[in-house]
Amino acid sequence: MKKHRLQFVLFTALVALLLMAGTVGAAPKDGPVVSLGTAQTKFSASEDVLVTVTISNPTRQSVRILRWFTPGDGLEEPVFAVKVNGKAVPYTGAVYKRPAPTVSDYITLKSGESVSYRVNLGDTYDLSASGKYTIYYAAAAYQLFSEKGNSSNKPDSLVSESIAFKVDGRAGKKTTPPPPPPPGGNAFNACTETQQSTLINARAQAATYASESENYLFGINSGTFRYVEWFGIFDPLRYSTVKTHFTSISNAWDTAGVTFDCKCKQNYYAYVYPDKPYTIYLCKVFWLAPLTGTDSQAGTLIHEMSHFYVVASTDDYVYGQAGARDLAITAPENAIMNADNHEYFAENTPSLP
């Protein structure tokens, strides 16, 4: 968890610095704005911490915003920067592997139109500590306003002013997880026999991908075509981070008891809760993917395993090979923490020497 807190602090600091420097792509000129509000300034331990998010379009033309970075379908990304008494509060919601966005993944706001959402902050952030909370909206993504990205090679952003309120700490929502599978074993929830067989094969191939990637990284000491393609210009510290990640990913596939849950019906590949290893939720697109190759079932499992805080604590800065390649060029410090970059390095499709 300490590693994730540090990563969270670094990410929010990066967003802030880029905004001050003018290097984060903004909405279309005079584009959408986001504001936050609450109905009260103090929340007791028994009260939900409800925050209203309003996204408005004050421009004369319609604008589009990637739905994943709004609360339109519930909070599916860590779009809030949250602190309590000056310390970062970790995101506890799900993180997803999705296909690259298409037009249908965007909401459209006409000129003068606005949408409001009410979010229970405690559903996706750790509110166990009492004190003064400050939050602001901090969505940043390379395809936030267009599925084609932007020409600046810098992430678009949607950022609000901060608000503050007091919260009495409360216990997290308790669930009774099923008994974990034995070390190195599998457990299945709502999976058919065919799905179970598919997942056994996908896990075996994911373990092979992870082991091969780990061995490859230990065999190089400078930038190769394959390394640079997915993680950017060679830097010893970044290289060491990637190597450590794949050692952890490989060890997890070799030794962890993994629970596979097949109930998801969303048009995503899969998702996990990073603070709850080692349960992986498989969604509709996963079953349509090939066993190996680009955006494969085995690669998806590499992607999801990398998200767990106890493994590599990766994020989802971009989705898809094009975005991952661009991230390696423009922001290698983010590429080494992006789950898709790890997946594409492991899949190595097309094969790079």
Side-chain angles (χ1 to χ4, degrees), residues 5 21 78 118 165 169 181 214-215 234 241 268 285 298 304 335 347:
R5 288 179 186 273
R118 192 154 70 161
F165 43 80
E214 180 189 17
N215 291 337
F234 187 86
T241 296
Y268 302 153
V285 180
E304 296 305 331
E347 290 170 340

Side-chain angles (χ1 to χ4, degrees), residues 21-338:
T23 56
V24 173
K29 187 177 181 181
D30 299 323
V33 296
V34 58
S35 60
L36 305 181
T38 60
Q40 56 200 85
T41 58
K42 189 178 188 306
F43 297 87
S44 69
S46 62
E47 293 178 300
D48 290 337
V49 179
L50 300 177
V51 177
T52 299
V53 178
T54 301
I55 303 174
S56 305
N57 176 18
T59 74
R60 295 183 178 180
Q61 68 273 355
S62 295
V63 296
R64 296 190 305 143
I65 305 170
L66 186 55
R67 185 185 304 275
W68 307 334
F69 291 89
T70 75
D73 294 322
L75 215 59
E76 294 187 347
E77 294 286 341
V79 295
F80 292 107
V82 184
K83 290 185 177 182
V84 56
N85 303 323
K87 295 183 179 179
V89 172
Y91 173 76
T92 59
V95 290
Y96 296 82
K97 172 174 168 59
R98 302 181 175 98
T102 64
V103 172
S104 63
D105 294 309
Y106 289 78
I107 64 170
T108 299
L109 293 182
K110 297 178 181 179
S111 175
E113 188 177 10
S114 64
V115 290
S116 292
Y117 310 97
R118 192 154 70 161
V119 177
N120 182 355
L121 201 66
D123 285 344
T124 48
Y125 288 86
D126 179 2
L127 304 185
S128 59
S130 297
K132 180 182 178 181
Y133 280 73
T134 58
I135 73 168
Y136 63 92
Y137 207 81
Y142 283 79
Q143 296 167 306
L144 187 57
F145 302 115
S146 170
E147 73 279 6
K148 298 177 182 179
N150 61 61
S151 59
S152 69
N153 288 328
K154 298 166 186 173
D156 296 311
S157 63
L158 192 59
V159 181
S160 75
E161 298 291 336
S162 65
I163 61 172
F165 43 80
K166 293 182 179 180
V167 174
D168 291 335
R170 71 279 318 280
K173 296 181 179 179
K174 293 184 178 180
T175 58
T176 304
N186 302 312
F188 303 97
N189 184 33
C191 303
T192 66
E193 289 187 6
T194 298
Q195 289 173 328
Q196 292 180 35
S197 177
T198 296
L199 287 164
I200 290 170
N201 291 334
R203 175 173 182 164
Q205 182 58 49
T208 298
Y209 272 158
S211 177
E212 189 277 335
S213 298
E214 180 189 17
N215 291 337
Y216 178 92
L217 288 164
F218 273 88
I220 65 173
N221 56 15
S222 62
T224 64
F225 287 118
R226 179 178 172 185
Y227 178 90
V228 172
E229 181 84 351
W230 302 118
F231 297 117
I233 188 169
F234 187 86
D235 172 86
L237 291 178
R238 290 197 295 265
Y239 159 73
S240 178
T241 296
V242 174
K243 187 167 62 172
T244 299
H245 285 178
F246 274 101
T247 295
S248 297
I249 294 169
S250 183
N251 288 343
W253 283 122
D254 288 344
T255 64
V258 178
T259 297
F260 295 104
D261 189 303
C262 302
K263 291 184 295 186
C264 175
K265 304 303 180 186
Q266 292 171 288
N267 287 317
Y268 302 153
Y269 284 91
Y271 68 92
V272 299
Y273 292 91
D275 62 335
K276 297 178 175 64
Y278 294 93
T279 298
I280 300 176
Y281 300 82
L282 295 316
C283 301
K284 289 172 65 174
V285 180
F286 176 86
W287 307 110
L288 303 176
L291 174 64
T292 59
T294 301
D295 289 315
S296 63
Q297 292 172 342
T300 295
L301 296 187
I302 293 287
H303 176 118
E304 296 305 331
M305 184 61 76
S306 76
H307 276 316
F308 291 120
Y309 297 155
V310 297
V311 178
S313 194
T314 60
D315 278 320
D316 289 313
Y317 292 105
V318 297
Y319 294 103
Q321 280 198 340
R325 287 191 182 97
D326 182 69
L327 195 66
I329 296 170
T330 60
E333 68 279 3
N334 289 345
I336 67 169
M337 296 305 302
N338 191 58

